[in-house]
Amino acid sequence: MNNEINTENIEIENNNKNNNTDNINVKPFVISNVGMSLDGKLATIENDSRISGEDDLKRVHKIRKSVDGIMVGIGTVLKDDPRLTVHKINAKKEDNPIRIVVDSNLRIPLNARVLNDDATTIIATTENMGENKNINEKIRELAKKNIIIIKTGIDKVDLVKLMELLYKKGIKNILLEGGGTLNWGMFENNLVDEVRVYIAPKIFGGKGAPTFVDGDGFKTVDECIKLALKNCYKLDDGIVIEYTVKK
Ligand SMILES: NC(=O)C1=CN([C@@H]2O[C@H](COP(=O)(O)OP(=O)(O)OC[C@H]3O[C@@H](n4cnc5c(N)ncnc54)[C@H](OP(=O)(O)O)[C@@H]3O)[C@@H](O)[C@H]2O)C=CC1
Ligand SMILES: Nc1nc(O)c(N)c(N[C@@H]2O[C@H](COP(=O)(O)O)[C@@H](O)[C@H]2O)n1
């Protein structure tokens, strides 16, 4: 049972008050996909992320079409303003997966393209997102756009709980499309099941350029995520490598 609160008649799911322990450890199957340079960067220091060629983008959009949900961090929304729909291959509106944005402080701009009506959008936020004084106005505007807001976590989105909640909503598989900070959060919590990377024959360099997995990093090799090679092949001018995450 979810406890729900009303903010000016707008229902926000507040899962921090949810003590239900049913279905714990039942989560969507998560595929982490990125296009990266050979040195592991997701974009250049000036946020140029044109890495994949046309065939690789078609590969990504086939995955988008096949999953229930597609997830990004608010960093990617603010930097790229993505649509997160299936638009590089033939598709109908019904083929678009549910878009999930992980955004602890509701920083999402109201004109972000992920808030358009091409697909359902869920914003995962936190208990303390309301500290900004204009937050109720923003929630009202998001509600007008039929955006679903889920609160889980106090200051930072609780990704483990979020996965359980999404699974209960019928989202059985998710394409995780980064960026590096959210990818770390997902790997750190052992929430990723499969990895697919397109590696472009390019070197971007730059200490500040985002990488496939950023965050704090594991301290030892013993702690790190271990992968088993599943498949690899040439595509465009690069290669695609697919791994299963060893659990
Ligand atoms: N080449 C590719 O395939 C791709 C490239 N990119 C690139 O990646 C870059 C963006 O990456 P980045 O800046 O790291 O942003 P992310 O998209 O990874 O978003 C990170 C933000 O998510 C929020 N967040 C909330 N809860 C969590 C949590 N539990 N764990 C982790 N994050 C959480 C945080 O913001 P808050 O605290 O406000 O909630 C955090 O700063 C861009 O340059 C983009 O172009 C992105 C995707 C794919
Ligand atoms: N796989 C992949 N290759 C690249 O070269 C990329 N730049 C990305 N970026 C991701 O796709 C999002 C854009 O999506 P829309 O086309 O607007 O639907 C972008 O925000 C990244 O998540 N991915």
Side-chain angles (χ1 to χ4, degrees):
M1 188 185 69
N2 289 343
N3 289 326
E4 294 185 346
I5 61 165
N6 275 326
T7 303
E8 302 188 3
N9 299 324
I10 295 157
E11 287 190 0
I12 299 177
E13 291 181 34
N14 184 348
N15 296 284
N16 294 310
K17 294 175 185 162
N18 180 0
N19 294 321
N20 186 356
T21 51
D22 291 353
N23 284 334
I24 287 222
N25 297 328
V26 181
K27 63 162 212 69
F29 186 89
V30 176
I31 302 169
S32 162
N33 185 86
V34 291
M36 66 185 195
S37 59
L38 182 60
D39 52 333
K41 309 291 187 188
L42 300 188
T44 65
I45 46 162
E46 294 214 333
N47 202 43
D48 188 346
S49 64
R50 293 168 300 165
I51 297 168
S52 299
E54 274 308 303
D55 287 343
D56 188 53
L57 291 174
K58 284 185 181 144
R59 177 188 65 82
V60 175
H61 284 240
K62 278 184 201 153
I63 310 174
R64 286 185 180 185
K65 195 173 174 178
S66 72
V67 291
D68 300 322
I70 172 169
M71 187 162 94
V72 297
I74 184 63
T76 296
V77 172
L78 294 175
K79 286 176 185 153
D80 293 354
D81 194 17
R83 281 162 281 182
L84 303 182
T85 54
V86 185
H87 57 86
K88 295 281 182 192
I89 57 173
N90 277 336
K92 299 190 280 289
K93 192 171 173 179
E94 308 83 80
D95 294 320
N96 289 329
I98 295 177
R99 302 175 289 197
I100 303 143
V101 179
V102 179
D103 180 9
S104 311
N105 298 299
L106 273 193
R107 289 192 284 153
I108 193 161
L110 287 168
N111 63 355
R113 293 198 291 180
V114 282
L115 300 179
N116 68 22
D117 62 7
D118 288 347
T120 300
T121 300
I122 294 175
I123 301 179
T125 190
T126 59
E127 189 75 40
N128 289 343
M129 56 93 179
E131 284 174 0
N132 168 349
K133 65 178 167 43
N134 296 322
I135 210 74
N136 284 342
E137 177 57 24
K138 193 162 200 179
I139 291 169
R140 242 193 321 270
E141 292 301 321
L142 291 169
K144 275 190 209 158
K145 293 173 182 282
N146 295 318
I147 305 303
I148 299 165
I149 302 176
I150 298 179
K151 279 187 187 179
T152 174
I154 306 301
D155 292 316
K156 194 170 150 185
V157 173
D158 182 332
L159 297 172
V160 174
K161 278 200 193 141
L162 176 64
M163 288 300 113
E164 289 166 11
L165 292 163
L166 295 175
Y167 189 88
K168 283 185 199 162
K169 283 185 176 295
I171 299 175
K172 306 291 185 215
N173 40 59
I174 289 179
L175 174 62
L176 170 64
E177 280 205 51
T181 309
L182 179 62
N183 288 345
W184 163 252
M186 292 293 285
F187 279 110
E188 179 190 23
N189 287 293
N190 207 12
L191 295 169
V192 179
D193 301 286
E194 201 173 298
V195 172
R196 301 187 191 178
V197 292
Y198 168 77
I199 304 178
K202 297 182 173 85
I203 307 265
F204 288 175
K207 200 174 170 187
T211 73
F212 175 20
V213 186
D214 288 320
D216 293 336
F218 295 108
K219 291 193 176 67
T220 66
V221 175
D222 287 342
E223 291 167 273
C224 81
I225 300 293
K226 320 272 186 319
L227 308 170
L229 182 64
K230 200 175 149 193
N231 192 19
C232 63
Y233 54 94
K234 285 187 185 176
L235 190 67
D236 291 327
D237 59 352
I239 53 171
V240 175
I241 315 185
E242 300 175 349
Y243 297 95
T244 303
V245 176
K246 290 186 182 173
K247 297 282 180 180

